Amino acid sequence: MKNHSFGRLPFTVSNVGFGAWQIGGSWGDVSEADGRDALNAALDAGITFIDTADVYGDGRSEKIIADVLKTRGDTRPMVATKAGRRLNPHVADGYTKANLESFIDRSLSNLGVDVLDLVQLHCPPTEVLYRPDVFEGLDELQSAGKIRGYGVSVEKVEEALKAIAFPGVVSIQIIYNLFRQRPDHLFFAEARRKNIAVIARVPLASGLLSGKITADTHFASDDHRNFNRNGDAFDVGETFAGVPFEVGLQAVEEVRKLVPQGATMAAFALRWILMSDAVTVVIPGARNAEQARANAAAADLAPLSDDVMAASREIYTSLIAPHVHQKW
């Protein structure tokens, strides 16, 4: 596990973090007890970055995090949350300072803190990124002491590039994995140049890159891998990284040939992401303590060879890119 600075904010974080969507909801039945065990296992393994959102289980994820951190009493990890998706309808006009402040106040209460380490606009409509008043409002909330910093979670590379044009933006959260390689074509270079922290989400393509999902795998009705496979609930890119399920399964078999002996495919997929020095932290989720420990251990895999990296790019170019590259 490597630890390094989080962009321009005064935090040191582990390069593998903990994504807390699964312990909130939309991943089938994950009990609160399993969620607590997963988070405790991640922290015990040396993880010092947690990513959540106010809509994960309607606050359930934030509250579990607060309870676990309260009982541990050791050095507190950096906790990032998100705001904006409570808007109904979710439209650009809703991104007012007043609305954002109300969401931030709710997260402050859920997390049991006086100031949020990082708040991220939660995949806002693209139009929000053309409204300076939104970011001026965040500047004011930062000056008021409610947030230490702010960033944007985005769907598209173009949105990421637009967001970091605002000087107050310190981080970008973006999908980056073996099946979504476009961020490394331009955005990462700009992020390095501006010292922007990069949070890589959906690192296992919703479990596809664990190598454990088959054509016969059953997903519960409340699992987004069931109800959002066609983008009916939110951006389809959040589910299986936007790759058609059957295509993803085919590509997984090609990726499997690259996995070093003794390593799991999930660990290999996480190590692949960490090969980019632009990535500050990758945030795999975990349904239980075993998964959390396995995610943390991925940081200890040896660097991947140039041949393996080239082969992974070929799999992406030939099988995956036609379905995703120009969409996000």
Side-chain angles (χ1 to χ4, degrees):
M1 191 84 69
K2 286 186 177 180
N3 294 279
H4 45 220
S5 60
F6 188 87
R8 305 193 303 269
L9 288 185
F11 292 97
T12 298
V13 299
S14 51
N15 58 352
V16 176
F18 182 87
W21 185 9
Q22 289 179 337
I23 69 173
S26 299
W27 287 85
D29 183 22
V30 179
S31 70
E32 283 200 23
D34 282 345
R36 292 171 190 273
D37 288 347
L39 181 53
N40 272 307
L43 296 170
D44 288 343
I47 282 174
T48 59
F49 181 86
I50 302 170
D51 178 83
T52 186
D54 57 2
V55 292
Y56 292 168
D58 193 27
R60 179 195 193 209
S61 177
E62 291 180 326
K63 291 175 182 177
I64 290 174
I65 292 166
D67 289 346
V68 167
L69 296 185
K70 183 178 181 180
T71 59
R72 291 182 67 91
D74 49 12
T75 302
R76 184 182 176 86
M78 181 179 181
V79 179
T81 192
K82 307 183 197 75
R85 284 282 167 171
R86 299 188 65 77
L87 291 169
N88 187 17
H90 182 237
V91 295
D93 286 345
Y95 278 77
T96 63
K97 179 189 173 184
N99 283 340
L100 289 173
E101 186 167 20
S102 70
F103 300 150
I104 286 169
D105 286 344
R106 185 175 183 271
S107 290
L108 288 168
S109 176
N110 286 345
L111 288 166
V113 295
D114 296 324
V115 56
L116 298 179
D117 295 337
L118 180 74
V119 66
Q120 305 157 90
L121 301 185
H122 198 171
C123 297
T126 304
E127 184 183 344
V128 168
L129 303 175
Y130 290 83
R131 297 190 174 189
D133 58 294
V134 174
F135 298 89
E136 291 166 2
L138 289 168
D139 288 335
E140 292 170 7
L141 293 169
Q142 185 175 7
S143 296
K146 293 196 173 187
I147 58 176
R148 290 192 171 93
Y150 64 85
V152 186
S153 182
V154 301
E155 300 289 0
K156 300 178 180 180
V157 167
E158 289 80 6
E159 292 171 338
L161 291 167
K162 184 67 180 75
I164 63 175
F166 292 98
V169 171
V170 297
S171 68
I172 292 292
Q173 183 173 145
I174 194 167
I175 296 176
Y176 179 62
N177 59 45
L178 276 156
F179 290 171
R180 288 280 287 275
Q181 298 188 24
R182 190 178 176 213
D184 201 14
H185 290 212
L186 173 60
F187 168 63
F188 281 0
E190 285 298 293
R192 290 187 196 96
R193 189 174 68 84
K194 294 190 173 184
N195 195 18
I196 300 292
V198 174
I199 305 166
R201 75 171 185 277
V202 195
L204 300 180
S206 306
L208 268 181
L209 287 167
S210 72
K212 297 179 179 180
I213 292 175
T214 71
D216 298 323
T217 299
H218 172 75
F219 300 103
S221 60
D222 60 346
D223 189 320
H224 74 101
R225 294 171 293 183
N226 181 328
F227 67 76
N228 194 57
R229 197 173 292 191
N230 297 313
D232 295 330
F234 41 81
D235 191 284
V236 70
E238 302 287 345
T239 301
F240 300 130
V243 179
F245 187 60
E246 294 75 15
V247 175
L249 291 177
Q250 179 187 357
V252 160
E253 293 312 307
E254 296 303 312
V255 172
R256 199 183 303 276
K257 301 172 185 177
L258 305 178
V259 179
Q261 186 173 2
T264 65
M265 183 180 290
F268 170 79
L270 294 175
R271 190 65 184 88
W272 183 91
I273 292 169
L274 295 177
M275 291 298 291
S276 173
D277 61 4
V279 173
T280 307
V281 59
V282 59
I283 51 168
R287 298 170 59 91
N288 51 52
E290 180 182 3
Q291 288 183 0
R293 284 190 286 267
N295 290 339
D300 297 327
L301 283 185
L304 306 181
S305 69
D306 291 343
D307 288 346
V308 166
M309 294 300 290
S312 72
R313 287 191 291 271
E314 176 57 30
I315 293 170
Y316 174 76
T317 300
S318 61
L319 293 176
I320 301 298
H323 301 280
V324 304
H325 194 77
Q326 295 302 336
K327 289 185 179 180
W328 293 283

